[in-house]
Amino acid sequence: MRKELPAEVPAKEPDTAKAEAEREPAPEPEAVEPGPVEPGPAEADAGEPELTGRQRLVKGLWPPRASRAQLIMAVLLFVLGLGLAIQVRSTSDNSALRGARQEDLVRILDELDDRTQRLEDEKQGLVDQRTELENSSDQANEARKQTAEKQKQLGILAGTTAAQGPGITMTVTDTKGAVEADMLLDAVQELRAAGAEAIQVNDVRVVANTYLTDGSGGKGISVDGHEISRPYRFKVIGKPQDLEPALNIPGGVVQTLEKEQATVAVSRSNKIVVDALRSAQRPDYARSSSE
């Protein structure tokens, strides 16, 4: 017996399948609990006004937020700068040449040149002595001659030998007794710096270890323990062209003494005799290296 097969079911058209799918109910979405809503950039900026560049700079710098180390460093730098400023001011105010005239400055420079020339001459003299000693046929005799000449020079410096030569005489008349020992000591030091080779104050020879003190009760002056009376008379051997200007520089010896109402007279001479002598003293500890 022959069975008949069922007829083929025709495929659904695309439009029909799509329509049926649309008719099927869609699944319901899961419920989500509402949370806090964060404001966006636009909403955040809407609450505060926008700052300019200068306002942001001021806000970043003030109030200052400095650490302890930075504060300590700032205080130290301030103290250092203040000290430097005070030092510079005091140095400029105390300069003796601040109000000097051009002529005085030129004279001071000439004195410095003269001192340099004297040192150069002394150096050349020592070189010549060495050359003569090396080239002499009788070196022993030449050595004795140079030793005798050196002894005379050292005797003048030590005050054990009288000396004469060109120089100056300075007389300080102190009628009110206002001149003190340190003022005369400044005069001695200034004369030495100007090239003085022999100095005598009244009847006392000035040597390397000379000291000056005020007398008892503030009256009079003593030189090496010997009291000297007024007026004070300096006899100095050296180059007059260097000695006199050294005493008359602005703020120097003459002006200092005149401020104390003392009278200072300086005169040049081609022959100054320094005849006050000092006894030679044997040192207690120092000995010649050749012994």
Side-chain angles (χ1 to χ4, degrees):
M1 183 178 208
R2 182 179 178 185
K3 279 185 177 182
E4 295 182 0
L5 294 175
E8 294 182 0
V9 180
K12 294 183 179 180
E13 298 292 334
D15 295 338
T16 307
K18 183 176 181 180
E20 290 180 0
E22 292 177 354
R23 285 195 298 268
E24 293 180 0
E28 296 182 358
E30 296 180 359
V32 180
E33 296 181 359
V37 180
E38 298 182 358
E43 296 177 357
D45 296 341
E48 298 180 0
E50 184 178 358
L51 299 178
T52 62
R54 180 177 298 179
Q55 291 175 341
R56 286 197 298 271
L57 178 61
V58 173
K59 187 176 181 181
L61 297 177
W62 189 264
R65 291 181 288 273
S67 64
R68 183 177 180 181
Q70 292 174 337
L71 291 176
I72 294 175
M73 184 61 67
V75 172
L76 292 177
L77 291 176
F78 174 76
V79 173
L80 178 61
L82 182 62
L84 291 175
I86 294 174
Q87 183 178 3
V88 171
R89 182 178 179 84
S90 61
T91 303
S92 60
D93 291 343
N94 296 332
S95 177
L97 303 178
R98 183 179 180 86
R101 298 176 302 174
Q102 184 176 1
E103 295 82 359
D104 297 331
L105 295 176
V106 172
R107 186 171 65 248
I108 293 173
L109 290 176
D110 292 339
E111 292 176 9
L112 294 176
D113 293 338
D114 292 338
R115 294 179 187 179
T116 303
Q117 186 61 41
R118 287 198 305 271
L119 292 175
E120 291 292 338
D121 294 342
E122 183 178 355
K123 175 184 175 182
Q124 187 61 39
L126 295 175
V127 172
D128 294 341
Q129 290 179 7
R130 185 186 65 181
T131 303
E132 291 177 2
L133 184 59
E134 291 175 350
N135 298 333
S136 176
S137 58
D138 188 357
Q139 295 186 358
N141 188 26
E142 184 66 25
R144 283 192 296 268
K145 189 194 315 185
Q146 292 188 11
T147 301
E149 184 66 26
K150 195 68 176 178
Q151 183 179 1
K152 292 180 182 179
Q153 297 176 3
L154 294 177
I156 294 175
L157 296 178
T160 59
T161 304
Q164 67 179 14
I168 64 169
T169 300
M170 181 178 71
T171 304
V172 180
T173 304
D174 180 25
T175 57
K176 297 187 177 181
V179 176
E180 299 178 351
D182 58 343
M183 301 177 186
L184 298 185
L185 180 60
D186 290 340
V188 172
Q189 299 289 10
E190 192 65 43
L191 290 169
R192 283 175 171 170
E197 297 176 353
I199 303 175
Q200 178 177 329
V201 181
N202 288 17
D203 294 329
V204 182
R205 184 73 169 265
V206 176
V207 292
N209 58 351
T210 293
Y211 62 93
L212 287 83
T213 57
D214 293 321
S216 58
K219 296 182 180 179
I221 295 176
S222 296
V223 181
D224 292 337
H226 302 282
E227 187 173 352
I228 59 176
S229 59
R230 301 189 292 265
Y232 308 116
R233 183 179 176 86
F234 286 73
K235 293 194 293 183
V236 187
I237 296 177
K239 188 177 181 180
Q241 294 82 356
D242 296 337
L243 298 175
E244 183 179 2
L247 298 173
N248 291 305
I249 62 174
V253 174
V254 173
Q255 286 190 3
T256 301
L257 293 173
E258 289 178 348
K259 286 181 181 179
E260 301 298 332
Q261 298 182 357
T263 304
V264 182
V266 181
S267 61
R268 302 182 184 185
S269 176
N270 293 326
K271 183 180 181 181
I272 299 291
V273 179
V274 175
D275 52 5
L277 302 180
R278 302 289 293 266
S279 59
Q281 298 180 354
R282 182 178 179 85
D284 296 330
Y285 304 100
R287 295 291 183 270
S288 174
S289 60
S290 60
E291 295 182 358

